[in-house]
Amino acid sequence: MALLEVKDIKKNFGKTEVLKGVSFSLDKGEVLAIIGSSGSGKTTLLRCLNFLETADCGEILVDGDTVFNAGAEYNEHDVREKRLKFGLVFQSFNLFPQYNVMQNLTLAPSLALKKQKLSAAEKKEKLEAIDKKASELLERVGLSDRSTAYPCQLSGGQQQRVAIARALVMQPDILCFDEPTSALDPELTGEVLRVIKGLKGEERTMIVVTHEMEFAKNVADKVIFMADGVIEEMGTPDEVFGAPKSEKTKAFLSNSLETF
Amino acid sequence: MGFWEVTLSLLNGLEQTCLIFALTLVLALPLGLVISFGSMSRFKPLAYITKIFVWIIRGVPLMLQIIIVFYVPGFVLGTPLFSRFGSVIAAFVINYACYFSEIYRGGIESISKGQYEAGQVLGMTKSQIFFKVVLMQVVKRILAPMSNEVITLVKDTALARVIMIVEIIQAAQNFAAYGLMWPLFYTAVFYLVFVGLLSLLFGYLEKKLDYYKA
């Protein structure tokens, strides 16, 4: 059974139809790359999955459970619980500037503990577990030595690696990336893409909206090309990059892969 | 009447000045936050009502507001609502809360949407996001305009004498009846020291928050 099923997601902003019915599914451990030009709806799709936008129509299932159905009403509490199935790494990192690297990682899980009724001893134990997990993840993204640094003291690439670790602390089923390297200098994109590639080896299910065609080609198991709010083409990287069927895909790829 | 007698009398006045200053700050700082939430409310009628209220309070001289709070309840209800000191505090708190609310609003609206969204996708509640993520950044950003307001407040306390509160200026002016003018000029020293200390405090706070950029 597919880990993630997205059925007929539609989203309008006023009169503009941004998503005109998007459906796809993803198996556990698969990496999906979503490519397409600006304004094609890639980011909106990701934001719908993370409950940052509410789709007007459609359904989202994780592990067979409906986490979102456009017909249903969700209160804030429901949404908070359901959205944790997804993690999101933003284009602009969005680290919390007043907290150091370690605190950025531990803030959300520690606050979540406050909502539970625990004895002091249990609480202490859980906080220690959070610290341990955070340290492991920092090591995982190669930033153990910067745990007390503040975001403003880090390079863009380091900040984005912290943001990835921060998303992983919440143990999402599906980790989403919204153009994770678009705000970075070319020389810094490599370190971020390597981290994402490394996560693939750990059987992580990921959705990456990206303009890095080489990355999509080499790391993704599945590629979706979006145009004008619909999935124009979907398949393995070989299919989409090697033998695109749609004219729009061909035009996009020839523009994107053009070398100067 | 010697120097020490005057100084002692002015220090008595300073006590009133400090009380008005401190009470206004303690009450207006949180009230301003509440008003700023009102003016940013997505419930439009509340936002409009709040904005009209802020317009009125910022549009009418504080001196007049003190007089209104002290005298008008007496005319309308037949009995005064507040004591002299109570009237001054009520008028100052409402007035300053409105000014603070606009500073807060500017600060809160300047925080990028991304900070809220980052908190949301990590499963934080709205209040956790506001108090743990946004507020500290707002404080850093509004420190300079706040220091302006706070320093203005020190000197605005002199308006309390309009309903016969003997704050420092009034204390000095009482000596005019004896033909002494210099105590009035002497009060400037007290204000300068007061404001000087506040400037040092704000400088310290700014340095203290300098460890990060936002």
Side-chain angles (χ1 to χ4, degrees), chain B residues 71-87:
Chain B
Y71 289 108
V72 169
F75 290 140
V76 177
L77 306 169
T79 158
L81 201 56
F82 298 109
S83 65
R84 287 177 192 278
F85 189 74
S87 305

Side-chain angles (χ1 to χ4, degrees), chain A residues 47 50 52 76 80 83-84 86-88 90 93-99 104 107-108 111-112 114-115 150 152-153 166-167 170, chain B residues 112-129 131-137 141 210-214:
Chain A
R47 291 173 61 87
N50 282 279
L52 289 175
E76 213 198 314
R80 243 193 351 267
R83 72 172 2 138
L84 285 178
F86 296 90
L88 178 61
F90 297 88
F93 330 134
N94 295 340
L95 294 179
F96 306 132
Q98 75 269 41
Y99 294 118
N104 261 279
L107 180 67
L111 287 175
K114 282 194 184 158
K115 295 271 144 197
Y150 287 89
C152 62
Q153 298 166 322
R166 183 176 70 172
M170 300 310 287
Chain B
S112 84
K113 228 174 83 200
Q115 290 290 308
Y116 293 91
E117 290 181 348
Q120 280 173 301
V121 298
L122 291 167
M124 290 162 66
T125 64
K126 274 185 186 161
S127 69
Q128 285 172 344
I129 293 172
F131 288 107
K132 298 288 177 179
V133 174
V134 174
L135 193 58
M136 268 287 272
Q137 297 178 47
R141 286 187 194 190
D210 213 27
Y211 71 91
Y212 71 91
K213 286 195 188 70

